[in-house]
Amino acid sequence: MSPRLAVHTTAQSDAVHPQSLHWRRAGRGPDDCFDYRTVSQGRVESACQNTTMPDSPTRSRRTGFAVFLIVAGALGLLAAFELSLEKVLVLADPGHIPSCNVGILVSCSTNLGSWQGALFGFPNPFIGLMAWPVVITIAVAMLAGARFDRWFWIGLNVGVLGALVFVGWLIAQSIYVLGVLCPWCMLTWAVTIPVFWALTLYNLREGHIPASARIRRLAGGWLSWVPLITVVCYAVVVLLAQAQMNAIPRVLIDLQNLFR
């Protein structure tokens, strides 16, 4: 092909595809900027730019999951803050009576004063003060469109699994050893359990945790059942407390005395 013919052909191509000159100058081809969402639209301002399409179902699911983590993290942080505050007040004044002492069974003084309440050499609530802000920050980053690598999600899942194991141990200690139910501790239990299930099923569905296609589909279906799974877990804890401590009528008595 002669140089003159090549120049003529290039000019015709640019006339037919006005944006091809921009792609050529940028060192890219039209396929590099192809956006399937713009195919059915009559007016597109520029390649790879479409602000009129609604969010995809995947984006909506990510948003719902992020909002859930923010709410759960905020509740967990509240419980950790209140327990930490009461611990500091007790250390400053041994005669201080924590506001979470509702009655004989529902109380936090025993937990705060026990060795179980400072398993690692410092008050357990301090762990929540460090951990729950991490969960909240990750959720806010997700709302902003942040994407994390697989190792990040696996690491987060391992951390939440450790939290669940720790919470399970604390539940057993409260019911079978200490014989009391701490209100703020129970709030921590109440949010840790659904966070573990939701995060694990989310990671399985998204493929962050290596699994077969069948497991990923099942995890996606089970994710909508997290509220029911959580209620079942709560029911197990209540039944254990009732069998060991006759908890239900005693809690009701403490609540009646509180509001008298």
Side-chain angles (χ1 to χ4, degrees), residues 193-243:
I193 292 172
V195 166
F196 167 76
W197 285 112
L199 178 63
T200 302
L201 293 174
Y202 175 83
N203 281 336
L204 285 171
R205 186 191 69 186
E206 299 298 317
H208 300 146
I209 297 177
S212 64
R214 181 174 180 273
I215 295 297
R216 293 181 61 180
R217 288 194 301 271
L218 289 175
W222 293 342
L223 194 57
S224 61
W225 291 92
V226 166
L228 179 59
I229 296 173
T230 301
V231 170
V232 171
C233 293
Y234 291 167
V236 171
V237 175
V238 171
L239 290 176
L240 292 175
Q242 175 62 23

Side-chain angles (χ1 to χ4, degrees), residues 63-220:
T63 300
F65 180 66
V67 171
F68 163 74
L69 289 182
I70 290 174
V71 174
L75 292 175
L77 183 58
L78 173 64
F81 175 80
E82 290 291 341
L83 282 172
S84 299
L85 178 61
E86 294 296 346
K87 181 64 177 181
V88 171
L89 292 176
V90 169
L91 291 175
D93 178 13
H96 171 73
I97 299 177
S99 59
C100 45
N101 284 6
V102 177
I104 297 177
L105 180 64
V106 183
S107 170
C108 60
S109 290
T110 302
N111 296 66
L112 290 175
S114 66
W115 66 266
Q116 292 94 332
L119 183 62
F120 302 102
F122 56 86
N124 294 338
F126 290 0
I127 300 175
L129 288 178
M130 295 181 288
W132 289 115
V134 174
V135 175
I136 297 173
T137 302
I138 292 172
V140 172
M142 290 179 64
L143 288 179
R147 302 280 179 171
F148 303 104
D149 290 336
R150 171 180 290 180
W151 65 264
F152 182 92
W153 287 111
I154 293 177
L156 180 61
N157 220 139
V158 171
V160 174
L161 174 60
L164 182 69
V165 172
F166 188 37
V167 161
W169 181 79
L170 290 174
I171 291 174
Q173 293 297 308
S174 293
I175 294 177
Y176 295 103
V177 178
L178 300 176
V180 293
L181 297 174
C182 168
W184 294 117
C185 298
M186 289 190 289
L187 178 58
T188 301
W189 308 344
V191 295
T192 301
I193 292 172
V195 166
F196 167 76
W197 285 112
L199 178 63
T200 302
L201 293 174
Y202 175 83
N203 281 336
L204 285 171
R205 186 191 69 186
E206 299 298 317
H208 300 146
I209 297 177
S212 64
R214 181 174 180 273
I215 295 297
R216 293 181 61 180
R217 288 194 301 271
L218 289 175

